[in-house]
Amino acid sequence: MKFYMMHLMPYADLDLDYDQKYNSAWITLPNSYYDPKKGAKLYNRYLDELEYADQLGFDGVCVNEHHQNAYGLMPQPGVMAGALARRTKKVKIAILGRALPLLNNPVTVAEEFAMVDNITEGRFIAGFVRGIGAEYHAWSSNPADSHDRFHEAHDLIIRAWTETGPFAFEGKHYQFEYVNLWPRPYQTPRPPIWIPSQGSSETIEWASHPDRRYTYLQTFTPVAMLARYMQMYKDMAAEHGYEASEDQLGWSVPVYVAETDEIARREAKPHIENFLNKFLRMPKEMLLPPGYLSLKSMLGVMKAKSAIGGQQTIDDVIDKGMFICGSPETVRQRLEQYQSEIGFGHLLTLLQFGTLPAELTRKNMELYATSVMPWLRERRAAKTQVAAE
Amino acid sequence: MPHEETFETVAGCRIRVMRGGKGEPLLFLHGASGASGWLPFMDMLAQRYDVIVPEHPGFGASDTPEWLDTVGDLAYFYLDVIDHFGLDRVHLVGTSIGGWIAAELATRSCEKIKSLTLVAPAGITVPGVRKGDMFMWSPEELAQNLFHNQEIAKAMPQPANEDELLVVLKNRLMTAKLGWSPRFHNPHLRKWLHRIAVPTLIIWGDDDKLIPTAYGTAYRDLIPASSLEIIPECGHLPHVEKAQEFTSKVVNFIQGAA
């Protein structure tokens, strides 16, 4: 199993009373709430944290893409990957955006990712997503064309990375007379591709196809759902006549480790609850524009009258396995149990969330890296050896 | 007034059509909320005209064809529909997105059109005048913002079962497909509105929170033989909120244009 530190880079200095006037920290929250003096400090602090993850022995660091919001300050994640490319030495760098349907020109992403792959001499992991629904409001991209544009942009980028140019590309949404990528990616035939998702059978079917075998990354969902979707991937792979490896399955989850369970819960509580109730807050119309989900899925959501926007507590998310929080022993046991039951090969931990301040983030990272990660590595190695014998 | 419902196949697309009344043909093009039922204003118009109400491709019980990408596609489609029914000298009435389709159609050809009525049509943009963002509105906000009279807004029926909810979602999906970006307009339409060569009536509610009345003035200035009528104390759906007044205006206009 490989270990990554994921960062969302929230605007942690957000005036949390914003919700008395606005219904979301996204799209319609005026950017007068953003103070560049504070934001500059946050950017540098967060980059320091990811660089520290390199020193602490993580296998990778992950950034992602969100637009026009206080939840995550990386509308252009390639900037962060570029900054990290030269300051880190060992870690893989994963960009778990880009939201392909938003792109007017997917070749920009093919180029940008290939550049990072070259500068890092192959330490790069490419992520492709459709983005959450709010991005379609932010970028005026038509959600009804989202699936179509995702697939077309994906096909164009893969061809740009793997085919000798120049070639012409004639799509419905994108057309080029000349596609001829300079630089070509460093890795052969191309960087690994991860597909983050909150859970979609269509996405899993597509990612698990033998032509692709992309790593499917389940983000921020109850552990029961995680198990279901991972099994779905394995089943679909089996139907295609191959066995899905652990390398094809990943999980992204917020984690907080402290000296004891009690301390962990006390320290994490305000910050994870701000993450859930302040930073993630948005009305259903913003999260699910028409076309973002299939009609059938949308009908399900409407019927469920789901709790989007409802207040959540630390206990809710711990109980559902959406947040792993406790002493090193508690966190070790939980992760070991989930790993052996579910069999994911990439574990992405969000070790800063919401308003979690710098000191607690560092403490969390250090405890995780010294008392959880090595233990899990040894357990996995021992198990693999037993299995081999 | 009785009406009948049929399914017709035009340009490879099967659509549901309601039709009632006698007289000169009147083709009504619905807006974003579709045309699932025969409404009081249709009944009133059917006393004088042969009222034809198709559900657009991609809406309600009609199919969603592969070829449908833009409102321009629907403009050509309805030229085919007019041929399909063998209509001539038809009174074309369109509301909101349907008004946009009607305006696009009339810039392409007025050969079979006798008069044009645009009811708070989408289709153009007026710089500096913001439209409402219906895609950000909750169902409750949508009802409130579509009507002036909040009693009527409250009385609007909500989807009663799963089938009706599915129609609402389908209509909303196609509305996004056609109007998400550029938001409810075609930047090129205004260049060609001068081609509309038939008498044109533009109707607007004075309290339209989706497409402000300034859009009515702009349309009037762009279409040569057009006049603008503002209905007081009325929102985006004059044919629903002020059905009687709306019908009289349409009838008076058509009689004057004849």
Side-chain angles (χ1 to χ4, degrees), chain B residues 121-144:
Chain B
I124 59 171
T125 188
V126 177
V129 184
R130 287 263 295 165
K131 293 188 285 264
D133 184 357
M134 63 166 279
F135 294 119
M136 279 287 202
W137 294 338
S138 67
E140 297 75 30
E141 288 168 328
L142 180 66
Q144 286 161 18

Side-chain angles (χ1 to χ4, degrees), chain B residues 98-245:
Chain B
W100 178 8
I101 300 167
E104 293 261 6
L105 184 157
T107 61
R108 285 161 172 76
S109 169
C110 286
E111 197 187 333
K112 305 284 173 65
I113 310 297
K114 188 171 179 189
S115 77
L116 176 64
T117 301
L118 303 175
V119 189
I124 59 171
T125 188
V126 177
V129 184
R130 287 263 295 165
K131 293 188 285 264
D133 184 357
M134 63 166 279
F135 294 119
M136 279 287 202
W137 294 338
S138 67
E140 297 75 30
E141 288 168 328
L142 180 66
Q144 286 161 18
N145 289 332
L146 286 179
F147 293 97
H148 169 81
N149 183 339
Q150 291 304 303
E151 295 305 312
I152 298 179
K154 279 180 212 149
M156 277 295 114
Q158 294 300 310
N161 53 47
E162 196 172 307
D163 287 345
E164 287 184 20
L165 182 57
L166 198 60
V167 167
V168 168
L169 294 174
K170 180 176 175 180
N171 293 348
R172 201 171 156 80
L173 169 63
M174 191 44 66
T175 300
K177 173 103 178 163
L178 299 171
W180 187 275
S181 182
R183 187 55 58 88
F184 289 126
H185 77 281
N186 165 8
H188 303 287
L189 177 60
R190 65 160 56 226
K191 295 188 282 192
W192 304 108
L193 286 171
H194 69 265
R195 285 176 45 84
I196 297 180
V198 292
T200 301
L201 172 66
I202 301 155
I203 297 178
W204 229 281
D206 70 339
D207 187 23
D208 189 329
K209 297 177 197 76
L210 185 61
I211 309 181
T213 47
Y215 281 71
T217 317
Y219 254 114
R220 184 199 57 201
D221 294 347
L222 289 161
I223 300 177
S226 70
S227 59
L228 171 65
E229 299 242 16
I230 305 282
I231 297 184
E233 298 185 336
C234 181
H236 183 63
L237 309 172
H239 52 297
V240 178
E241 184 162 11
K242 294 282 174 104
Q244 192 81 54
E245 202 174 335

Side-chain angles (χ1 to χ4, degrees), chain A residues 58-112:
Chain A
F58 282 78
D59 296 297
V61 292
C62 312
V63 295
N64 79 346
E65 169 186 0
H66 289 297
H67 297 273
Q68 302 186 9
N69 71 92
Y71 168 89
L73 292 175
M74 293 183 285
Q76 301 299 328
V79 173
M80 312 320 282
L84 291 164
R86 296 267 306 165
R87 298 271 298 175
T88 60
K89 298 301 168 205
K90 298 188 296 282
V91 279
K92 301 265 187 194
I93 298 171
I95 296 183
L96 303 178
R98 300 287 309 260
L100 300 186
L102 303 186
L103 298 168
N104 292 323
N105 181 353
V107 177
T108 55
V109 165
E111 291 174 340
E112 181 184 288

Side-chain angles (χ1 to χ4, degrees), chain A residues 140-142 145 172 285 303, chain B residues 69 137 162 176-177 180-181:
Chain A
S140 283
S141 184
N142 197 328
D145 293 334
K172 177 171 177 181
E285 286 69 32
K303 274 163 53 192
Chain B
D69 292 310
W137 294 338
E162 196 172 307
K177 173 103 178 163
W180 187 275
S181 182

